[in-house]
Amino acid sequence: MTTPDTTGRRVLVLAHTGREEARDVARQFCESLHRHGLAVRLLKDEAADLDLDLAGVETVEPLPDAAEGCELAVVIGGDGTILRAAELTRETGTPVLGVNLGHVGFLAEAEHDDVEFTIDAIVRRRYTSEERLTLDVAVYRDKELVATTWALNEASVEKAARQRMLEVVVEVDGRPLSRWGCDGVVCATPTGSTAYNFSAGGPIVWPAVEALLMVPISAHALFARPMVVAPTSVLAVEVLARTEGAGVLWADGRRSFDLPPGARIEVRRGRSPVRLVRLHQAPFTDRLVAKFDLPVSGWRGAAERRRSRGNGNGNGEPTGGNDVGNNGAGSGTGDAGGGEHA
């Protein structure tokens, strides 16, 4: 087997350095990448935490161009850490490879105990990347644009005070849809459909589907159902002006903006997607089964296919079987966004 040429190749390594396990795994990745001839780049504060004894390690500030010139970013932590990495890679279009140290880890593609397999895939470029739809969010007060942000998972409008319900009017494509007294409203992407949207009772949407989701949280209304709209639609949530309840906007649970009475947010498809690395090609169905440990015992499809291949006519009696979750859907192949907010 020929040795790949790694000249001029560099990888940004990001880690949740507040955790000892993450620091240990990050050191393994940095040392192995360096040993294979790839240049390693770290954020300055994380480099200090890792205290590596490696020559030529680059350090940069945590700015939107931190991944400039890197072929990918390896992120070691939970989904919250991967969401932070998305902030540093979105503008440069650098693919993100998540190494899971969290619980479910839907955004992660590899597990921390698969370091050498993952390194080999990087060195030999045995990976692909896919674009994930994002959200661009605008905040208005008195019809004046006061803030903009974006999200990979969701933009959520939530009540600011626990004891007071939030009164909102929602609209789609410039037309009012309904008024809700609620705890909040989640506007999500397909990637985020397994995050806050999932907890709020919204639908799981396969990543290949291009759509926007709007889900009310504990709404006191007859019509308060999760909605899936076109990716070209514009969603809006207005905090009623004549109400005592104020709100707060959260983008991926990381960036927040106050929403006083009368404030309005508009959500549309983001101008820049986020690219996620894939090492496995398991169907999203299998990944859901593996991540949520869903019960599928009794499924006969696999046995029927095996019997059909064996007999050549498909008339054999299947013997039962359950291989969902084992066809490339093992640890670290989650495909949708996580609910773990940093």
Side-chain angles (χ1 to χ4, degrees):
M1 184 179 295
T2 59
T3 302
D5 182 8
T6 56
T7 305
R9 297 173 60 190
R10 58 178 36 79
V11 175
L12 175 64
V13 178
L14 303 165
H16 187 335
T17 54
R19 299 173 57 182
E20 182 178 355
E21 184 181 19
R23 293 195 299 271
D24 290 343
V25 175
R27 291 188 189 103
Q28 291 180 53
F29 266 93
C30 291
E31 291 166 357
S32 187
L33 288 168
H34 185 268
R35 190 166 57 250
H36 283 89
L38 279 77
V40 174
R41 181 180 295 175
L42 299 170
L43 301 183
K44 285 186 177 179
D45 57 342
E46 294 184 3
D49 292 337
L50 294 176
D51 191 25
L52 286 166
D53 185 20
L54 293 178
V57 173
E58 303 174 8
T59 59
V60 295
E61 297 291 345
L63 299 173
D65 63 351
E68 186 72 51
C70 295
E71 69 176 67
L72 57 81
V74 175
V75 187
I76 299 155
D79 284 329
T81 309
I82 298 174
L83 289 171
R84 178 171 65 92
E87 297 174 356
L88 302 174
T89 59
R90 181 178 180 237
E91 292 301 319
T92 58
T94 306
V96 174
L97 171 57
V99 179
N100 185 38
L101 290 180
H103 299 289
V104 178
F106 259 104
L107 285 170
E109 179 67 6
E111 292 296 315
H112 65 277
D113 54 0
D114 290 335
V115 173
E116 289 310 315
F117 169 81
T118 306
I119 291 291
D120 187 65
I122 294 172
V123 171
R124 300 185 181 281
R125 288 195 170 104
R126 287 191 286 101
Y127 62 85
T128 59
S129 67
E130 59 189 32
E131 292 187 347
R132 292 298 183 88
L133 183 150
T134 60
L135 303 175
D136 281 345
V137 187
V139 182
Y140 295 87
R141 295 178 189 163
D142 298 323
K143 299 183 179 180
E144 178 184 354
L145 179 65
V146 296
T148 59
T149 187
W150 71 280
L152 172 60
N153 275 351
E154 76 280 313
S156 61
V157 175
E158 304 173 31
K159 61 183 183 180
R162 180 179 180 182
Q163 69 274 16
R164 194 174 298 279
M165 187 177 295
L166 192 64
E167 292 284 343
V168 300
V169 171
V170 297
E171 72 177 46
V172 178
D173 295 329
R175 304 302 301 165
L177 180 69
S178 188
R179 171 177 171 171
W180 295 327
C182 58
D183 286 351
V185 181
V186 177
C187 299
T189 66
T191 298
S193 69
T194 50
Y196 198 173
N197 165 83
F198 179 79
S199 300
I204 292 179
V205 179
W206 265 233
V209 176
E210 293 196 334
L212 304 181
L213 289 68
M214 178 181 275
V215 182
I217 307 171
S218 302
H220 289 244
L222 290 176
F223 179 82
R225 295 290 183 268
M227 289 167 285
V228 180
V229 303
T232 54
S233 289
V234 178
L235 307 177
V237 181
E238 241 179 63
V239 181
L240 291 184
R242 293 180 176 84
T243 179
E244 296 181 4
V248 58
L249 166 68
W250 283 97
D252 282 341
R254 295 186 50 79
R255 301 171 295 280
S256 64
F257 304 85
D258 291 334
L259 300 175
R264 170 187 175 90
I265 73 158
E266 292 183 357
V267 178
R268 50 176 48 83
R269 180 179 188 155
R271 59 182 174 80
S272 301
V274 166
R275 298 175 65 195
L276 298 182
V277 169
R278 288 288 162 249
L279 303 178
H280 313 277
Q281 300 304 315
F284 182 62
T285 307
D286 288 2
R287 294 171 179 175
L288 276 179
V289 169
K291 288 295 183 179
F292 283 140
D293 194 22
L294 301 177
V296 291
S297 58
W299 183 65
R300 298 164 67 87
E304 289 172 355
R305 288 201 304 272
R306 288 195 297 269
R307 173 71 72 174
S308 177
R309 288 195 295 268
N311 291 349
N313 57 17
N315 293 325
E317 179 64 26
T319 60
N322 174 20
D323 61 1
V324 175
N326 295 319
N327 291 330
S331 297
T333 57
D335 215 301
E340 180 180 327
H341 289 150

